[in-house]
Amino acid sequence: MKLLVIGSGGREHALVWKLSQSPRVTKIYCTPGNGGTDSIATNVAIAADSLEALRDFALETAIDFTVVGPDDLLAAGIVDLFRASGLRIFGPTANAARLESSKSFAKDFMVRHGIPCAASRVFQNSREAREYCRSTVYPLVIKADGLALGKGVIIAENLQTAEDAIHRMMDLKFFGSAGSSIVIEEFLKGSECSIHALVDGNSALIFPDAKDHKRVFDGNQGPNTGGMGTVSPCPALSDSLRQQIQDEILDPFLLGLRVDGIDFSGMLFPGLMLTASGPKVLEFNCRFGDPETQSLLRRLKSDLLDLLEACEQGKLALMKPEWDERSATCVVLASGGYPGAYEKGKEITGIQPAESIGDVVVFHAGTVRKEGKLLTNGGRVLGVTALGTPLSAAVKTAYEAADKIQFENQKRRSDIGADECPSEFKSS
Ligand code: AMP
Ligand code: GLY
């Protein structure tokens, strides 16, 4: 089969890496891809947002199956467009992807179907939003309704920060139309956890859980990023909590889809807060997480193409994937300045020595090959992954490998997995 993977991040490199192991795959194209995908796939320079150009390429190249990475393409209707041309594609339609692309739509869905989440209010008017902020308790959370590259969520500790956030989102239109309406919600305390489940309308096939580290600095300080590193499984989850997530979140989600007539097919990735009063949904994502995917796919022993096709064909209930019992870690190496402004074009060295350590795979994100050199080309540059038992062994190996990789102004968190295996961090 000829596959097309759309996107250019670490998630897409991990998808290409895993899909390339399927004996049924003869060729993979990646648009636009990165400096890592080009060694196992053919990178094609089509901008990830040119929906028609992507569809035309898939038709001309007789692509058998397409896998989409980024959320904005799903929200823009790439699945609808491909299907209308008779092309097979993995992911939700634009209508179903509203569960990610509109936080107010998702909130309304959760409230109506009894899915636990933070209490919230939606505002279309900045004056009313400000008035509300003057009469409530802090901290509170202010979210642009639409997609904002992971930057549209502000935790406001006081009225001043809340008013600034509202002004930037609604009056100055920092996130364009994504901030025309905002959700203001209760601040939830607890530990975060990422759930991934393939959903085909009839059933949900749950992947192992993972934990992301969203803030840019150690100790969960600084602004939110797309994610600075993951561990899988999520050590804070007990079996009884997993069951509670199934009963209180995934089952009502599937029922809600049926009641509302939403035809959801694809990856559902709810971000959860494990609070003292149980797990609550922070947001629904309708795609693979990045960098969760890098850790999860290291643990998948079965054929990923089989799973994605079964999802697209509504046959998930027949699938019983096997997972590596070992834990996985992904440590992101980023450009200095990320998630703010950063420079590109720095030479990267040391990937081969890093990967010569057993059980290490380095996934590329913002990288490009030019004149025989590998250069930085984005905020998140690489994701260094390792497997091990216990989790502390995976963490130790990932950092050992990360130490071998150099580029100017490299930045990384040095505490991925620290909450879960503190002894490893004390001794290092
Ligand atoms: P979201 O895009 O909604 O997942 O938000 C991004 C990040 O903001 C989450 O991963 C949390 O770290 C944080 N966050 C979002 N909503 C809340 C909330 N209600 N309480 C506490 N933290 C939150
Ligand atoms: N790592 C968080 C996300 O993909 O949204």
Side-chain angles (χ1 to χ4, degrees), residues 41-57:
T42 300
N43 283 354
V44 183
I46 302 175
D49 59 355
S50 338
L51 264 60
E52 279 79 15
L54 290 165
R55 188 254 336 258
D56 293 346
F57 172 78

Side-chain angles (χ1 to χ4, degrees), residues 132-215:
Y132 173 74
C133 288
R134 284 182 200 124
S135 62
T136 190
V137 287
Y138 287 82
L140 54 75
V141 184
I142 302 185
K143 301 182 172 184
D145 192 15
L147 298 176
L149 296 172
K151 296 176 187 168
V153 174
I154 305 295
I155 314 280
E157 300 289 346
N158 51 45
L159 176 63
Q160 181 64 49
T161 328
E163 288 192 332
D164 284 353
I166 293 167
H167 184 54
R168 270 181 284 122
M169 286 183 196
M170 302 193 89
D171 304 329
L172 301 180
K173 306 230 172 294
F174 246 56
F175 304 116
S177 60
S180 315
S181 83
I182 61 169
V183 176
I184 302 188
E185 70 182 36
E186 165 200 13
F187 177 80
L188 298 176
K189 266 202 229 125
S191 174
E192 281 187 57
C193 168
S194 301
I195 301 294
H196 283 68
L198 289 173
V199 171
D200 69 3
N202 303 310
S203 53
L205 190 157
I206 306 181
F207 278 28
D209 31 77
K211 179 182 170 184
D212 191 8
H213 296 67
K214 290 242 168 66
R215 304 293 190 99

Side-chain angles (χ1 to χ4, degrees), residues 258-305:
R258 280 197 280 279
V259 171
D260 289 3
I262 300 173
D263 183 11
F264 188 103
S265 162
M267 178 57 85
L268 177 75
F269 154 25
L272 305 186
M273 190 68 89
L274 306 174
T275 73
S277 55
K280 296 191 178 179
V281 176
L282 294 175
E283 65 168 345
F284 285 125
N285 303 292
C286 300
R287 53 169 174 88
F288 282 90
D290 187 347
E292 283 86 344
T293 303
Q294 290 84 315
S295 283
L296 292 177
L297 293 186
R298 288 296 315 277
R299 298 188 61 207
L300 178 61
K301 288 172 152 181
S302 307
D303 188 319
L304 178 63
L305 179 60

Side-chain angles (χ1 to χ4, degrees), residues 88-100:
R88 295 181 56 208
I89 182 164
F90 170 82
T93 59
N95 182 45
R98 275 194 297 163
L99 286 159
E100 173 166 6

